[in-house]
Amino acid sequence: MQPATAKWYDRRDSVFVEFCLEDSKDVQVKFDKSKFEFSCVSGTDNIKHQNTVDLFGEIDPKGSKHRRTDRSVLCCLRKAEAGKSWPRLTKDKTKNNWLSVDFNNWKDWEDDSDEDLSSFDKFSEMMNSMGGDDLPDGADEEHDSADSDDEKMPDLE
C-alpha cells in the first residue's frame, strides 16, 4: 500500500482535501474527531492506497462527507470550530511528500471583513457610474486617420 497524492485548502467552516486518483474503486473514508482515514484501489493496475491523517484541528465527523469522481475523491471536513483558520492540515509540522496546498482554491478568508467588502462594492458602483464611453471631443480623432502600420505588407518570396 502507498499513500494517495492529495491537495488541501482551508475555508471558514470546512477544510477540503482532494485525493488525486483516477478510476478509484472501493473508496472508504472514516472521519474521526481528530483524524480521518482514506483508502481505495485505483488505476488499471489496481494499486492500493491508504492515508491516515492526524488533523491540525477537530472536525465534526457527522457533518463531514466525501464525493468520488472519475479523477479524484474530494473530502469535505466540517470544522468543529468554524472561523478558526488552519495553517496546515496535519497535526505535526513534518512535511508529507504526498500532500500539497491547493493554491488554485486557496483563499485568505481571515482578512475578509464586511467592511472591506462593502467598500469594494462602493468602488465597483462608482466605476460603473463613471462609464467608459465619454471621451472628450477630439480625443478619438487620431484613430480615424490612416496609420503607417496599416500599409499592406509585400508578399514573401
Side-chain angles (χ1 to χ4, degrees), residues 17-132:
V17 181
E18 182 176 17
F19 291 97
C20 308
L21 298 162
E22 292 188 15
D23 302 325
S24 58
K25 301 178 275 277
D26 302 329
V27 175
Q28 293 182 357
V29 182
K30 286 195 268 184
F31 299 107
D32 192 19
K33 258 187 145 164
S34 60
K35 71 176 182 177
F36 81 101
E37 296 177 21
F38 170 82
S39 65
C40 75
V41 176
S42 73
T44 54
D45 298 337
N46 290 326
I47 300 170
K48 293 181 182 179
H49 298 278
Q50 182 173 357
N51 298 63
T52 300
V53 184
D54 290 320
L55 298 168
F56 174 80
E58 290 191 352
I59 61 170
D60 174 14
K62 291 181 180 157
S64 300
K65 54 190 174 230
H66 73 280
R67 186 183 80 225
R68 183 202 155 295
T69 66
D70 288 342
R71 304 190 128 237
S72 67
V73 177
L74 181 64
C75 298
C76 174
L77 312 174
R78 182 73 57 187
K79 291 180 182 177
E81 197 175 331
K84 186 177 178 186
S85 71
W86 289 20
R88 61 185 178 277
L89 178 65
T90 59
K91 187 177 195 172
D92 298 328
K93 288 185 178 182
T94 57
K95 172 81 174 127
N96 294 302
N97 293 335
W98 55 268
L99 182 63
S100 63
V101 174
D102 187 350
F103 287 107
N104 291 333
N105 289 307
W106 192 268
K107 181 182 173 189
D108 287 332
W109 55 265
E110 281 183 300
D111 299 335
D112 290 348
S113 69
D114 294 336
E115 194 174 291
D116 292 340
L117 292 174
S118 64
S119 61
F120 178 76
D121 291 339
K122 288 177 188 172
F123 177 75
S124 296
E125 285 176 27
M126 182 181 73
M127 292 302 288
N128 289 337
S129 67
M130 287 174 64

